[in-house]
Amino acid sequence: MRLELNIANKNGWLSQKTPIIISGPCSVESEDQVLQTAKEITKSNNVSILRGGIWKPRTRPNSFEGVGVEGLKWLKNAGNEVCLPVATEVANAEHVEACLKNGIDVLWIGARTTVNPFSIQEIADALKGVDIPVFVKNPITPDINLWVGALERINAAGIDKLAAIHRGFSSFDKSSYRNAPMWEIPIELKLMCPDLPLFCDPSHIAGDKDLIAYVSQKALDLDMEGLMLESHTNPLAAKSDAKQQLTPSELEGLFGQLILREKDAGSEDFINKLEQLRTVIDELDEELINKFSSRMAIIEKIGEYKSQNNVTILQLERWEKILANRSFLAEKVGLSDDFIKKMLDIIHQESIRIQTKVMNK
Ligand code: PEP
Ligand code: MN
């Protein structure tokens, strides 16, 4: 599906630096904290937008919920000191109005707000007739339609300086990430709307500073526009997200480490070689599709046979044997167990669907 958004040309409103870095503290805590952070993270000239949370959507009550409206002035002053536009999170119409009154340059909508169309519509209504860039984070649930819906509502209010931020998704699965990246979702969004600038927020995906470089590099390798990275002069004393904030020197170290790759290498030799390899991939994919088709034709026969003999579709022992045997085969040829399990799951679901259809004929 193609997503029809009216997006202003990014060269007109986004920094031309690549990648575009949005950085600053998770929360604005005091006038001094945001000013010092701003000064230190801008020494090397890599940051394009200063961020700072003013109203913090905390999962549990009795946590630090942000300094509120008085912090807007501190954030704006810090931005003025280092000559950078400033950005903060808005979750309702009151936040939008306070930001506009205090000269905040960029707004973002947080993951806990994107899930709620009522809140998004309230923000959109407050933005009617206003010309300000708005960044929309993905919803906490892995539902691309909520993300798309939020972008559409904000865009319909007349905001054409629009961008998306991928910050990962809540998940019950144990993993090393705070929020599972599920990279396929931002890639799908890119496919739906190639003109929409797409950023990554490695801080909230990683949840821990040790993983930030890895996530940042991956985002750049997926050709994202830029990164939102939380930074703090003293992360250990931070009032929110202490584990994931980088010190200004760690941020600096990260910039030194990131590898920026080109969209293509330009040379004819590169293009020819890539084309050759892609031709092989095209052939292999065709073979795979034909094999799947043959496999499903047999499945249909199995379904008919089970139906004639009044036997259940699911045969647990057979399924267990398949899983064990295919894992073994995959390991022998160096394919990851996770990949083969996911692939078998999809094949199995389709096999069950086909057999169900046959049985209900
Ligand atoms: C944040 O950026 O500090 C924040 C609360 O982000 P998210 O909405 O991604 O949780
Ligand atoms: Mn945060």
Side-chain angles (χ1 to χ4, degrees):
M1 186 181 89
R2 211 55 177 191
L3 177 59
E4 295 306 328
L5 294 174
N6 176 26
I7 309 277
N9 185 332
K10 66 183 180 190
N11 296 333
W13 64 280
L14 272 174
S15 160
Q16 307 301 297
K17 273 187 203 147
T18 49
I20 299 168
I21 304 294
I22 306 167
S23 190
C26 175
S27 301
V28 169
E29 297 168 7
S30 71
E31 191 165 11
D32 189 53
Q33 170 249 11
V34 66
L35 181 61
Q36 282 315 315
T37 307
K39 282 185 175 165
E40 290 187 35
I41 63 172
T42 49
K43 277 185 187 151
S44 64
N45 222 13
N46 286 307
V47 176
S48 296
I49 301 174
L50 177 67
R51 66 152 277 158
I54 296 292
W55 302 278
K56 300 305 297 180
R58 305 309 296 277
T59 304
R60 306 278 302 273
N62 306 321
S63 325
F64 174 68
E65 291 187 332
V67 291
V69 76
E70 105 185 283
L72 291 171
K73 287 195 177 59
W74 306 339
L75 178 64
K76 183 66 189 170
N77 286 342
N80 284 342
E81 277 294 316
V82 296
C83 300
L84 283 187
V86 297
T88 200
E89 174 177 344
V90 291
N92 57 39
E94 212 180 299
H95 294 166
V96 172
E97 278 145 31
C99 286
L100 297 177
K101 212 186 274 172
N102 284 277
I104 301 301
D105 307 281
V106 176
L107 306 178
W108 86 79
I109 296 174
R112 289 165 192 76
T113 306
T114 308
V115 281
N116 185 345
F118 286 136
S119 304
I120 294 293
Q121 193 56 54
E122 177 183 326
I123 295 170
D125 291 342
L127 285 168
K128 279 203 181 109
V130 180
D131 183 21
I132 190 169
V134 178
F135 288 56
V136 180
K137 288 200 177 192
N138 66 254
I140 44 177
T141 46
D143 179 348
I144 195 170
N145 289 323
L146 280 170
W147 200 4
V148 164
L151 289 159
E152 286 175 324
R153 284 177 199 272
I154 301 298
N155 195 227
I159 299 291
D160 61 356
K161 295 171 181 158
L162 198 60
I165 304 180
H166 165 233
R167 53 77 78 196
F169 303 87
S170 284
S171 161
F172 288 120
D173 292 343
K174 273 207 194 85
S175 89
S176 35
Y177 298 108
R178 177 177 173 195
N179 289 293
M182 306 180 79
W183 298 101
E184 65 280 10
I185 296 180
I187 292 173
E188 179 67 24
L189 185 69
K190 225 175 177 2
L191 274 175
M192 287 170 83
C193 192
D195 295 337
L196 179 72
L198 177 60
F199 285 69
C200 181
D201 172 346
S203 306
H204 288 88
I205 291 176
D208 187 295
K209 56 170 95 178
D210 291 345
L211 252 182
I212 287 180
Y214 171 78
V215 177
S216 302
Q217 186 63 56
K218 179 125 182 184
L220 297 185
D221 289 343
L222 293 179
D223 199 24
M224 296 220 191
E225 205 75 45
L227 304 172
M228 179 183 257
L229 293 157
E230 289 187 338
S231 53
H232 194 289
T233 45
N234 183 6
L236 290 177
K239 292 187 175 168
S240 58
D241 290 350
K243 283 205 302 200
Q244 70 192 33
Q245 302 204 59
L246 300 174
T247 63
S249 66
E250 285 166 341
L251 189 68
E252 206 47 48
L254 174 65
F255 295 147
Q257 214 180 315
L258 292 175
I259 302 165
L260 303 184
R261 299 183 220 273
E262 301 297 330
K263 278 197 204 308
D264 61 68
S267 80
E268 209 156 301
D269 201 34
F270 166 82
I271 293 167
N272 289 340
K273 187 78 200 282
L274 194 63
E275 271 314 306
Q276 276 173 22
L277 294 169
R278 283 176 171 168
T279 307
V280 180
I281 291 290
D282 292 346
E283 287 163 7
L284 287 170
D285 280 354
E286 193 178 336
E287 245 176 75
L288 281 174
I289 287 170
N290 289 333
K291 292 275 184 220
F292 280 135
S293 162
S294 312
R295 193 187 195 280
M296 293 310 165
I298 302 285
I299 291 291
E300 217 173 305
K301 283 200 179 132
I302 290 180
E304 277 159 14
Y305 194 54
K306 282 181 185 167
S307 178
Q308 285 155 14
N309 290 280
N310 212 23
V311 164
T312 55
I313 294 177
L314 183 65
Q315 301 281 322
L316 201 59
E317 255 176 54
R318 167 70 179 154
W319 178 229
E320 278 170 345
K321 269 192 197 144
I322 289 186
L323 284 173
N325 167 268
R326 309 310 189 252
S327 280
F328 171 75
L329 293 176
E331 195 185 343
K332 276 210 304 199
V333 293
L335 288 172
S336 95
D337 201 41
D338 184 47
F339 165 68
I340 217 70
K341 285 212 168 97
K342 278 186 187 143
M343 202 193 66
L344 283 171
D345 258 339
I346 297 175
I347 295 175
H348 194 223
Q349 277 173 39
E350 180 64 1
S351 303
I352 289 176
R353 190 189 67 80
I354 290 173
Q355 292 183 61
T356 309
K357 209 168 101 189
V358 170
M359 289 213 174
N360 290 319
K361 255 208 292 219

